[in-house]
Amino acid sequence: SASERNEHLDRALEYFRKAEEGGRSLDRVYAQMGDCHFFKGDMARAMEYSQKSIAMNKKELRPYSRIYSIYIKEGKNDKAAEILAEYLKVVPDSAQVEFALGEHYLKYQKDNARAKQSFNRVVELSRSSGAEDYYTENALFYLGYIHYGENDYDRALSRFEEALEQWDALAALAPE
């Protein structure tokens, strides 16, 4: 039940407050506290602790993701995109976050131009730094979808073919 869940979250927060007093790994402690407050429905405290976590460690994705979730829950789609973009300034080679930003532009902001930019960046990252196949394959599919919607059928087909080639290559590596 909700009351049992909140009791467990309150107990967890007590432990995290004790950990906070110890002063070690505060970025992770604050991220955990932010999560607890989020699940309790206290978005202001969730935001506060997530921001504290970021202030201690700008490269940790978790508090950015939490803030993103808060903004989405509040219908602040522009702010949600901004927090992902902020993370990418610190960790520019994150295919995971670039992909999430592309999906955000496509789903929440209906901004195909910026979605294409993000998905193309994911493909670029896969070629230069070996981004995870999941993100690359899906970025190619999304690019095909966007190009198709723009009546650019040749480019759409090309992206779909690239995605399928990658999928086939991955399937060939899978054990039978």
Side-chain angles (χ1 to χ4, degrees):
S1 75
S3 65
E4 286 178 341
R5 184 191 71 211
N6 282 338
E7 285 178 31
H8 290 295
L9 291 168
D10 286 337
R11 268 190 264 143
L13 283 166
E14 287 176 33
Y15 289 118
F16 293 130
R17 281 188 203 99
K18 288 178 185 172
E20 180 183 24
E21 290 171 10
R24 291 184 25 219
S25 302
L26 288 177
D27 59 324
R28 294 189 349 224
V29 170
Y30 291 145
Q32 292 281 6
M33 291 173 86
D35 288 349
C36 287
H37 286 295
F38 179 83
F39 291 116
K40 287 184 65 156
D42 186 346
M43 298 305 130
R45 301 286 311 268
M47 179 69 77
E48 173 190 344
Y49 282 103
S50 296
Q51 289 172 334
K52 282 184 174 186
S53 178
I54 290 170
M56 309 238 29
N57 181 359
K58 292 192 182 332
K59 290 187 176 186
E60 178 58 42
L61 176 57
R62 189 169 171 184
Y64 291 90
S65 295
R66 178 58 56 219
I67 292 171
Y68 176 82
S69 296
I70 292 167
Y71 285 142
I72 290 298
K73 196 171 186 83
E74 294 175 345
K76 297 178 179 175
N77 295 333
D78 289 342
K79 297 288 251 178
E82 287 171 16
I83 196 69
L84 295 180
E86 184 180 317
Y87 180 79
L88 287 169
K89 288 177 185 170
V90 179
V91 185
D93 292 345
S94 175
Q96 176 186 0
V97 174
E98 193 71 65
F99 181 81
L101 186 57
E103 280 191 315
H104 177 85
Y105 288 142
L106 193 62
K107 180 178 179 181
Y108 292 104
Q109 295 185 297
K110 312 295 185 226
D111 187 338
N112 286 357
R114 291 199 307 187
K116 279 195 301 191
Q117 189 176 24
S118 286
F119 293 135
N120 278 318
R121 176 78 177 125
V122 171
V123 173
E124 178 185 314
L125 285 169
S126 76
R127 292 181 178 141
S128 65
S129 64
E132 287 184 49
D133 296 324
Y134 169 85
Y135 300 113
T136 307
E137 176 185 322
N138 284 287
L140 288 165
F141 273 116
Y142 274 127
L143 285 165
Y145 168 78
I146 293 167
H147 291 304
Y148 185 84
E150 296 171 340
N151 299 324
D152 188 350
Y153 303 120
D154 290 338
R155 192 176 264 162
L157 183 59
S158 174
R159 289 305 192 169
F160 288 139
E161 287 172 342
E162 285 180 73
L164 289 172
E165 285 171 15
Q166 182 161 357
W167 187 82
D168 286 342
L170 289 172
L173 296 174
E176 297 199 17

